[in-house]
Amino acid sequence: MSFINPSPSSTSRAIAPSGFATRRPWEEFFALHSFTRPYTLGEASLRVKRNLGHFRVNYAMAVLLVVFLSLLWHPISLIVFLAVFTAWFFLYFFRDGPVVVLRHELDDRLVLAALTAVTVAALVLTGVWLNVVVALLVAAAAVAVHAALRSTDDLYVEEL
């Protein structure tokens, strides 16, 4: 029986957290006991920063839901949105590894920004720019309020 020593790179991959964000459980996202009023503006901004990093995928799903609901009375735009949502589905929500383009791994935030830009551009080109802008403003306000009010004391923060 022979023992093969794993290479250092394969060991580090098994131990280190993955480089892309994952969806957190909705029970954790909506945990009512975790909502408290921040005492200072600094505490609120720190909460927003930590929650945006921790719940990035959940916030993206919530924003896409608000945009989807704003397009219910615009069938052509809804079809375009569903086509773009397919890209979101495969490139952001349910992928197993990082996105690789021309042998370069793309950062999760870059993928998020690119998909957001493509979604907004596609919907603006279909003539519903006002709906998109209003939906994004409503979604951004909801995300900001949630991120500021949700305490970060009970979050598991991955150390790199």
Side-chain angles (χ1 to χ4, degrees), residues 106-146:
L106 298 181
D107 182 49
D108 185 55
R109 286 170 277 201
L110 179 64
V111 175
L112 177 65
L115 285 170
T116 300
V118 167
T119 303
V120 171
L123 292 175
V124 167
L125 290 175
T126 61
V128 291
W129 66 271
L130 186 60
N131 276 16
V132 173
V133 169
V134 170
L136 290 176
L137 289 174
V138 167
V143 166
V145 167
H146 179 275

Side-chain angles (χ1 to χ4, degrees), residues 93-114:
F93 295 132
F94 297 106
R95 66 175 193 245
D96 291 332
V99 176
V100 178
V101 175
L102 299 174
R103 293 185 289 194
H104 295 292
E105 288 185 12
L106 298 181
D107 182 49
D108 185 55
R109 286 170 277 201
L110 179 64
V111 175
L112 177 65

Side-chain angles (χ1 to χ4, degrees), residues 64-86 122-123 126 128 131-132:
L64 287 172
L65 176 66
V66 171
V67 172
F68 174 79
L69 292 174
S70 75
L71 297 174
L72 287 177
W73 290 270
H74 303 279
I76 300 298
S77 299
L78 194 58
I79 292 169
V80 169
F81 177 79
L82 291 175
V84 174
F85 183 74
T86 303
L123 292 175
T126 61
V128 291
N131 276 16
V132 173

Side-chain angles (χ1 to χ4, degrees), residues 13-77:
R13 267 191 231 128
I15 296 170
S18 63
F20 58 94
T22 58
R23 183 184 62 81
R24 306 295 180 186
W26 291 107
E27 294 84 17
E28 179 183 349
F29 186 76
F30 289 117
L32 293 179
H33 62 84
S34 296
F35 286 92
T36 60
R37 184 179 62 85
Y39 293 109
T40 65
L41 188 59
E43 181 185 358
S45 65
L46 183 62
R47 284 183 181 189
V48 168
K49 181 180 177 183
R50 285 186 181 163
N51 282 327
L52 285 177
H54 190 76
F55 293 113
R56 188 179 323 151
V57 175
N58 298 71
Y59 287 137
M61 292 175 107
V63 169
L64 287 172
L65 176 66
V66 171
V67 172
F68 174 79
L69 292 174
S70 75
L71 297 174
L72 287 177
W73 290 270
H74 303 279
I76 300 298
S77 299

